[in-house]
Amino acid sequence: MAADPVAAAREAATALTATADRFLLHFDVDVIDFYDLPAANWPEYNKGLTLADATAALAVLVGHPGGAGLTVTEFNPDRGEPDGSTARTLAAALATALSGRPY
């Protein structure tokens, strides 16, 4: 996934729609590296995707005709910045992915 998140997302969508007409996407925010978005209950450093890569992959999947819905989990606002900037950063990334615009 990290090497080419867009290609990996396209491959996943193709595999999913080969066996089903629709799919539901479950997005765990803690897949994003904690250094890039400090929002996970169980932080992983230098192991997750960048926010940009996660957003790009998410955009492919939510924009696919087979996409039927999206759940977003594992965001812990207590881990982020006290001014709410971590939540705003995540909200902006999700809005970008959902809008179909490139990140």
Side-chain angles (χ1 to χ4, degrees), residues 13 17 36 41 54 56 59 69 73 101 103:
T17 54
D36 213 26
N41 284 327
T73 62
R101 294 183 314 237
Y103 185 74

Side-chain angles (χ1 to χ4, degrees), residues 53-96:
D53 285 350
T55 302
L58 188 60
V60 168
L61 293 166
V62 299
H64 191 278
L70 169 69
T71 62
V72 179
T73 62
E74 294 300 320
F75 172 69
N76 185 342
D78 293 335
R79 293 285 193 173
E81 298 299 323
D83 65 357
S85 60
T86 303
R88 285 191 299 278
T89 298
L90 175 60
L94 290 171
T96 296

Side-chain angles (χ1 to χ4, degrees), residues 2-61:
D4 190 344
V6 169
R10 286 184 182 136
E11 184 178 332
T14 298
L16 288 166
T17 54
T19 59
D21 292 332
R22 310 287 280 167
F23 61 88
L24 175 67
L25 180 61
H26 175 88
F27 179 62
D28 265 342
V29 174
D30 59 6
V31 72
I32 301 169
D33 190 284
F34 197 78
Y35 283 131
D36 213 26
L37 187 77
N41 284 327
W42 304 103
E44 293 285 338
Y45 301 96
N46 295 320
K47 293 184 181 180
L49 296 173
T50 66
L51 179 60
D53 285 350
T55 302
L58 188 60
V60 168
L61 293 166

